[in-house]
């Protein structure tokens, strides 16, 4: 079947790219300095919404950064 051939070919191509070290997904819209700033403000006891407004990002973005940093 044509669709299964395309799917398997796609998977093979992704596997090859992954082995070459290609990064998948969207690039981050924030840098290490912003992560440090978020974590500093969070440790000071500021709320997610307050942090988001002060840095010009969404509350969900701040929440995601905090969750990723706590997991690491």
């Amino acid at each position: 079947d044509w669709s299964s051939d395309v799917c398997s070919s796609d998977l093979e191509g992704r596997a090859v790219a992954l082995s070459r070290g290609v990064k998948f997904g969207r690039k981050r819209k924030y840098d290490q300095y912003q992560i440090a700033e978020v974590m500093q403000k969070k440790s000071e006891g500021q709320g997610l919404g307050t942090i988001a407004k002060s840095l010009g990002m969404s509350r969900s973005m701040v929440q995601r950064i905090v969750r990723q940093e706590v997991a690491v």
Side-chain angles (χ1 to χ4, degrees):
D1 182 45
W2 178 81
S3 61
S4 64
D5 291 343
V6 168
C7 188
S8 65
S9 173
D10 187 43
L11 286 173
E12 288 169 19
R14 288 176 63 89
V16 169
L18 194 61
S19 70
R20 284 197 326 242
V22 173
K23 292 192 165 87
F24 292 93
R26 186 177 176 155
K27 288 189 177 6
R28 288 185 172 176
K29 292 287 188 179
Y30 52 89
D31 56 23
Q32 287 300 115
Y33 303 108
Q34 288 172 305
I35 293 172
E37 189 78 17
V38 165
M39 297 312 290
Q40 158 109 36
K41 288 176 183 282
K42 183 75 175 132
S43 69
E44 291 171 0
Q46 292 188 27
L48 298 177
T50 310
I51 297 170
K53 274 187 185 163
S54 70
L55 296 177
M57 53 177 68
S58 68
R59 192 184 65 80
S60 60
M61 178 66 74
V62 172
Q63 196 171 16
R64 186 179 309 126
I65 290 171
V66 169
R67 193 179 324 122
Q68 285 174 346
E69 290 302 302
V70 168
V72 170

